[in-house]
Amino acid sequence: MPSRESYEVHKEEKSLVQKAKREANQEDILAAALVMRMGPQKPPATFWQPLKLFAYSQLTSLVRRATLKENERTPKSEKVHNFKVHTFRGPHWCEHCANFMWGLMAQGVKCADCGLNVHKQCSSLVPNDCKPDLRHIRKVYSCDLTTLVKAHNTARPMVVDMCIREIESRGLKSEGLYRISGFSDSLEEVKMAFDKELTDPEKKLEAFREALALLPSSHSETLKYLMAHLKRVTQNEKFNLMNAENLAIVFGPTLMRGPNLDAMTALNDIRYQRQVVEVLIKNEDTLF
């Protein structure tokens, strides 16, 4: 019966033989791939070593790239701030250095895309981390592409997706597709519709429901009670002449104005404040 020592030696020799066979096969495969067959005589090991290292490094690189997640391969786009000289109403502080902005006019600059307020001298120090806000984006067409997609948090402008989806659903067989121009009046009408945020009503209500769900319970209950009251007011419109739009004009600035807003920003927000309150009143029965 063989001893344990002889068994271990035999096992080690078998392992070395298998390793040698694997290396020989790898060398043959690599030689075939590189069209470098050298005949029956094998080239020396010093010839193969650099090629083996190169092949292994390439294979490792391919595997690493293949296992990367999609979002890791996607380049992270930067957005430069769109600073414009601005006159602030009332006291204002720089959002970069936190120091006071002195002067009566043109005290600093304001990003037209995200609303960041800084000193003129601080604007060159601010990193390219602009996060556009839809409150400051007034149009879809003629808008900077990066600004638009960051404001909507999408990979592409929604107008591209919508137009391509529409063409592929019913226009692929149209004669002269992309060659024959559309009527200018129709084109302007479509552009205006996109600039006015033409949206799906049900999706809009769903967005409202999600936002209302984030409110603290005290805020939610108070808003629910108030909207039910205003809905009853609109039901008597023929007597009081107050519809949902009129009530939204009155209650919008009171209910929707954010804290610490300067006068100019608050003035620009009035239209959106009215629209939000109007939707809340009209859809009180389904939103709460």
Side-chain angles (χ1 to χ4, degrees):
M1 184 174 181
S3 64
R4 181 175 181 82
E5 288 79 7
S6 62
Y7 173 77
E8 292 293 337
V9 170
H10 177 72
K11 182 179 179 181
E12 183 175 359
E13 289 176 350
K14 184 178 181 180
S15 176
L16 291 174
V17 170
Q18 291 176 345
K19 182 179 179 181
K21 287 182 177 179
R22 286 198 304 270
E23 289 182 351
N25 289 335
Q26 290 172 351
E27 290 173 357
D28 289 339
I29 292 171
L30 186 60
L34 296 175
V35 198
M36 294 180 64
R37 287 284 186 182
M38 305 297 293
Q41 183 179 3
K42 286 188 176 181
T46 54
F47 174 80
W48 284 110
Q49 192 64 23
L51 293 176
K52 286 167 62 176
L53 293 175
F54 173 76
Y56 292 157
S57 67
Q58 292 299 306
L59 180 61
T60 304
S61 177
L62 287 172
V63 173
R64 188 186 306 117
R65 288 199 298 270
T67 55
L68 284 176
K69 295 180 180 178
E70 185 67 25
N71 59 349
E72 291 175 345
R73 291 205 304 262
T74 303
K76 304 298 182 182
S77 59
E78 291 186 341
K79 171 70 173 68
V80 180
H81 289 277
N82 183 19
F83 287 121
K84 306 287 185 183
V85 177
H86 190 76
T87 297
F88 298 97
R89 310 293 182 186
H92 222 85
W93 281 261
C94 175
E95 296 179 43
H96 178 73
C97 68
N99 289 322
F100 185 71
M101 291 185 177
W102 297 96
L104 299 176
M105 296 181 64
Q107 304 98 320
V109 293
K110 183 184 187 77
C111 179
D113 297 333
C114 71
L116 183 71
N117 307 310
V118 296
H119 288 115
K120 295 176 185 176
Q121 61 270 25
C122 291
S123 62
S124 60
L125 305 176
V126 175
N128 298 334
D129 58 354
C130 179
K131 297 178 177 59
D133 192 322
L134 284 174
R135 294 180 301 170
H136 304 284
I137 309 301
R138 303 299 182 193
K139 56 186 178 180
V140 172
Y141 287 88
S142 302
C143 178
D144 175 70
L145 185 60
T146 304
T147 300
L148 190 63
V149 297
K150 281 185 171 289
H152 287 273
N153 193 27
T154 57
R156 302 170 299 276
M158 65 172 184
V159 63
V160 175
D161 285 7
M162 294 177 70
C163 289
I164 289 179
R165 193 185 312 123
E166 191 69 16
I167 288 172
E168 292 186 350
S169 67
R170 59 189 181 93
L172 290 178
K173 297 182 180 180
S174 298
E175 182 180 350
L177 179 62
Y178 290 127
R179 176 173 57 83
I180 301 176
S181 301
F183 295 106
S184 58
D185 292 344
S186 300
L187 293 176
E188 288 303 318
E189 185 178 347
V190 171
K191 287 183 179 181
M192 289 177 63
F194 276 113
D195 287 339
K196 290 180 179 178
E197 300 179 355
L198 177 58
T199 55
D200 185 344
E202 187 54 40
K203 289 183 178 180
K204 180 185 290 187
L205 290 180
E206 185 59 33
F208 269 85
R209 292 189 189 98
E210 293 175 359
L212 291 172
L214 299 176
L215 290 175
S217 58
S218 56
H219 292 69
S220 179
E221 286 299 320
T222 304
L223 186 62
K224 176 181 178 181
Y225 191 77
L226 179 59
M227 291 302 111
H229 163 67
L230 295 180
K231 184 66 173 287
R232 291 192 292 271
V233 171
T234 62
Q235 292 170 351
N236 292 275
E237 179 187 350
K238 64 179 181 179
F239 303 109
N240 56 41
L241 303 181
M242 294 297 288
N243 57 22
E245 183 178 359
N246 293 335
L247 291 170
I249 293 173
V250 175
F251 282 89
T254 304
L255 297 175
M256 303 303 300
R257 179 172 180 175
N260 305 320
L261 288 182
D262 61 85
M264 186 59 66
T265 303
L267 185 63
N268 292 333
D269 282 351
I270 288 179
R271 178 166 66 96
Y272 300 104
Q273 294 165 359
R274 177 189 61 76
Q275 291 176 349
V276 169
V277 175
E278 184 177 353
V279 171
L280 291 175
I281 296 173
K282 289 182 176 179
N283 299 277
E284 172 269 335
D285 54 337
T286 60
L287 288 175
F288 296 97

